[in-house]
Every structure is written in structure tokens, then in C-alpha cells.
Amino acid sequence: MGNLRRTHYATEILNEKIGNEITVAGFVARQRDLGNLIFIDLRDVTGIVQLAFGDTTDRALFEKAKGVHSEYTLIAKGVLRERSSKTDKIETGSLEIEVNEMRVLSGAEVTPFEVRDDINVRDDLSLTFRYLDLRRPSLTKNIVMRGTISKCARDYFDANHFVDIETPTLIKSTPEGARDYLVPSRVQPGHFYALPQSPQLYKQLLMLSGFARYYQMARCYRDEDLRADRQPEFTQIDVEMAFVDVDDIIATGEGLLTKLFHDILNIDITLPLPRMTWREAMERYGSDKPDTRFGLELINVSDCVKSCGFSVFSGAVQNGGAVRAINAKGLADKLSRKEIDKLAEFVKSYRAKGLAYSRWTADGRSSSFEKFLTPEETAALDKALGFESGDVVFLVADKAKVTFD
């Protein structure tokens, strides 16, 4: 780099005065050769800044800029000026640097894919060249945000008297929810360490040791099949507290979320957050981690049909099960009988024996079970479901877990 040293990251030029001398460094996102003008978009971890070379540029420097291609590594010094042609496509679109000195720190071969967002690249190719993939602005932003979240969380816990304590990662195998990753011991042949699935035992020992508030950005390892939300290793914000009850723990979590959303996304959250018991979540959504934006809530209609003449319903209730339903408001004319039959097959994948339905269109009501009910039972069911013209309701009678699923 010689005597050149970076003075600013790309987006930091927005805080500088026109005419100030700036030195930036990064990778070439794009080079545009217009004959007597050359523009280079230089990318670093904060964004992109345009380097400009023109008639007043030293000829040797101009020729050097002409030979630059995508993903070359550069460090360049020059004078900050306004762009003659502004753009809102990048954050620094109103400014550019008129370069008077530049060094090519590293050349680059043609990359296996374009290093930019909004491209389709095979997963195996992007992972093989992960170091190039991470140069893409969206992925760079994600990595930077992850680090910012970590710092923000640490600031919050530090301000609330938590102590950051690292627990061992080579431990004795303990019963957990998944299989352990094992590490053979060199000094004790035939014995193995386990990588922690969580720091559970250690943080409980810390409570006994008098550290009433502990936290850790804990690395955890679980040998289980991959899923969309499961990986073999992951980081969790691990917390343990003493001398508290459930409301204190919830308040601590809400305080962390409030700070993260405010500091990272500039979004203010109103507290307290909505709360529900496990039982309420299961009764309304059939899940202990519900997406409350999902409008099709479960309705327990067991009391309405426990003595009805339809043995599928009454039998399920008498055997300790339940009858639960959802009301698809306004979808009666959008779901054909054929589509309803497909749904009946679909629920069998969740071990349900079948799917009962009632459909109320402008032409009247059609149902797979109402003929077995008295008018009073039908009216009670309609009231419980909020069933009206234009709706279609679906019911499952089975064990509680099946109806929740």
C-alpha cells in the first residue's frame, strides 16, 4: 500500500466537506470505460463509492484505471466532489472521489458468478466460493447486522447487572434433546468429550456460586437432521437469573427486544407485549409458538356436539378427545367440493381420520354431518363458530393432539 492508508469507509464520505482529501479501499464492483472518462464503483463493508478519472487525471494513472476489472482490490486517494449525474441507487450517489493516486493491491480472475445482489446462483457454487458470495451487499449487511445485534445485546445485559461468563465447550455428555457431537481425548484413550448442546448445567452452577445474573453468546452443537430452523452449530443468547419470578424474566426479554428494535431498526415497540398462556395458545392456534397473524383460529365445539346423533363427534368427546373447527370466512364460493375432498386427504397426513365440513353459499347450505344434528344443535354450533352465509367450516374429531395439529 506504500504510504496510502484508508481514512474513510465508503459511506463515511457523506459526513465530509466537498474538497476534502479522502482515501478509500475495497473491491471493484464495476468499472465503466467511457473513453475519456472512467468510473470505478468501489465496494467496502459499508457500501459503494464512485471513483472518477478524467481529462485532468495523470495519464499513467488513467491507463492503470483502464486496466482495472471487477473484484480487483484497490486503495485510492483523491478529492471529494459532487457528482454531475446523481443517483439514488446507492447511498453515496450524490458524491464521488476525483482520484489522484491509486494502487492495485491485487488483481482478480473472472469470477464464477457476478458479485451482486438479485442473481440466481446454485447453492453448491455460492458455497464453494463463499468468500466471494459474502461480498454481495445483502450478505455483507446481514453479517454486519449480526455483529451489531450482538454488541447491542451485550450493552443491554451489562447495563442490567448481568455478568458475561464463558462456560466450557469440552464437557461431559449430559442428557439433552438431541445427540451429542463427541471429541476423542488424546490423554485419556477411549474417553470422549461432548460439545455442549447448551450451557444449562454450568449456568445453574453459576447461580449456586452467587452470580445472580449471567449471560453468554453461547455456541451450541446438536447432532440432528437439518431443517429450515435447525443447524448442527448455532449461537444463542443464553441467560440465567436468580431471585426472580416469571414476570421478571419476561420483562427482561421484553427490554432486550425493545432495545434491539429501537437501536437496530429504529422501531419503537409498545410494552408490555401481548401474552398468553400455553393452554390459550394451544386452544386458539394448536401450537405453543403460534403466528398470531394467522386468522384461522381453532374453535373447540366439543360441548355443542357431545350428545349429538353424529357418532364421529359424540364418540370422540366421550372417549376423552375433542371436536375442533376453523371457520374460513367468505371462502364458501372459492372452495369447490373437489378441493374440500383434497383437504380431507391432506388432514390424514396428520393422523386425522377425516374432515367434516359445512358450506353456506347463496344457493343454500351443504354439509357432511348436519343431517345427523337436531335444529337446536345446528343453531348452537353456528353460534359457536360464528357461521354465516359465505363461510365454510371444517371440523376434526379425534384425540386432542390430532385436533391441534
Side-chain angles (χ1 to χ4, degrees):
M1 296 190 298
N3 61 349
L4 292 180
R5 292 294 183 274
R6 172 158 46 194
T7 61
H8 296 75
Y9 286 88
T11 56
E12 289 178 340
I13 67 171
L14 296 171
N15 302 320
E16 291 296 320
K17 294 181 180 179
I18 300 298
N20 281 4
E21 193 169 71
I22 303 290
T23 303
V24 292
F27 302 108
V28 175
R30 184 171 60 153
Q31 187 253 39
R32 288 165 291 151
D33 188 345
L34 306 181
N36 62 339
L37 292 173
I38 295 175
F39 297 107
I40 294 174
D41 289 344
L42 194 70
R43 180 199 328 109
D44 66 20
V45 73
T46 67
I48 290 176
V49 61
Q50 179 170 281
L51 308 181
F53 306 81
D55 293 336
T56 59
T57 304
D58 176 80
R59 284 298 92 187
L61 177 58
F62 191 90
E63 291 302 317
K64 183 186 291 186
K66 186 183 286 286
V68 165
H69 300 292
S70 295
E71 302 313 314
Y72 272 43
T73 308
L74 308 180
I75 186 166
K77 182 174 73 173
V79 176
L80 187 64
R81 71 183 187 188
E82 285 195 34
R83 287 176 62 158
S84 57
S85 179
K86 295 179 173 59
T87 178
D88 58 2
K89 292 182 179 179
I90 58 174
E91 191 175 349
T92 60
S94 62
L95 300 171
E96 65 185 10
I97 298 173
E98 183 180 10
V99 178
N100 52 43
E101 186 175 356
M102 180 181 75
R103 292 182 183 275
V104 177
L105 302 181
S106 175
E109 298 179 357
V110 176
T111 56
F113 52 83
E114 291 185 78
V115 182
R116 62 179 178 84
D117 289 333
D118 304 319
I119 59 170
N120 292 319
V121 182
R122 298 195 323 270
D123 288 344
D124 62 330
L125 188 61
S126 64
L127 290 173
T128 299
F129 297 93
R130 187 62 168 166
Y131 57 92
L132 293 177
D133 197 37
L134 288 176
R135 293 183 188 180
R136 295 196 291 123
S138 60
L139 293 183
T140 300
K141 180 181 178 182
N142 290 344
I143 296 294
V144 171
M145 178 179 285
R146 188 181 190 278
T148 306
I149 290 172
S150 179
K151 180 184 182 303
C152 185
R154 290 179 187 277
D155 290 343
Y156 171 78
F157 287 120
D158 289 344
N160 285 276
H161 307 290
F162 286 80
V163 181
D164 181 6
I165 304 175
E166 292 184 347
T167 54
T169 54
L170 290 175
I171 66 173
K172 178 182 176 64
S173 180
T174 57
E176 292 274 3
R179 291 179 295 272
D180 288 324
Y181 280 108
L182 300 178
V183 180
S185 171
R186 179 184 61 82
V187 296
Q188 294 180 327
H191 291 76
F192 296 83
Y193 296 104
L195 298 180
Q197 296 186 38
S198 77
Q200 185 66 37
L201 295 180
Y202 289 102
K203 66 183 181 181
Q204 290 174 335
L205 290 172
L206 288 170
M207 296 301 103
L208 293 174
S209 303
F211 296 96
R213 293 192 166 199
Y214 140 94
Y215 82 96
Q216 178 185 184
M217 302 300 169
R219 201 70 173 167
C220 302
Y221 306 85
R222 296 181 181 175
D223 184 7
E224 57 187 356
D225 295 336
L226 291 176
R227 284 184 280 173
D229 61 346
R230 296 289 175 90
Q231 298 184 46
E233 60 175 311
F234 57 92
T235 301
Q236 66 184 29
I237 301 178
D238 198 67
V239 178
E240 190 71 46
M241 303 166 66
F243 309 109
V244 294
D245 61 19
V246 64
D247 289 327
D248 297 316
I249 295 171
I250 291 175
T252 299
E254 287 182 338
L256 174 61
L257 289 175
T258 300
K259 180 174 177 60
L260 290 175
F261 272 81
H262 179 271
D263 291 3
I264 306 298
L265 301 175
N266 198 29
I267 296 175
D268 291 322
I269 295 179
T270 302
L271 296 181
L273 297 176
R275 300 180 186 181
M276 67 177 68
T277 63
W278 177 88
R279 174 56 61 185
E280 181 186 356
M282 296 302 295
E283 288 290 341
R284 291 174 58 187
Y285 300 98
S287 170
D288 60 359
K289 47 184 181 300
D291 183 343
T292 57
R293 299 170 298 179
F294 185 66
L296 296 177
E297 294 188 20
L298 297 178
I299 304 169
N300 191 338
V301 295
S302 299
D303 289 343
C304 300
V305 297
K306 61 184 178 182
S307 302
C308 73
F310 189 41
S311 61
V312 173
F313 289 171
S314 58
V317 178
Q318 291 165 12
N319 290 326
V323 180
R324 289 186 169 84
I326 58 173
N327 184 349
K329 304 292 290 184
L331 293 182
D333 60 346
K334 295 180 175 61
L335 287 172
S336 66
R337 175 59 189 274
K338 184 177 180 181
E339 289 171 320
I340 291 174
D341 290 341
K342 287 182 179 179
L343 290 175
E345 290 300 314
F346 171 75
V347 300
K348 291 180 181 178
S349 65
Y350 289 89
R351 302 182 306 283
K353 297 179 180 66
L355 181 70
Y357 76 92
S358 282
R359 188 161 157 259
W360 192 344
T361 67
D363 298 327
R365 296 170 64 136
S366 59
S367 175
S368 63
F369 64 88
E370 286 184 3
K371 62 183 178 180
F372 300 103
L373 275 57
T374 66
E376 293 76 17
E377 290 168 340
T378 300
L381 194 59
D382 288 353
K383 183 178 180 181
L385 293 171
F387 189 36
E388 57 191 6
S389 180
D391 298 344
V392 54
V393 293
F394 300 100
L395 302 90
V396 171
D398 214 306
K399 297 176 182 177
K401 185 178 187 313
V402 175
T403 62
F404 286 144
D405 291 344

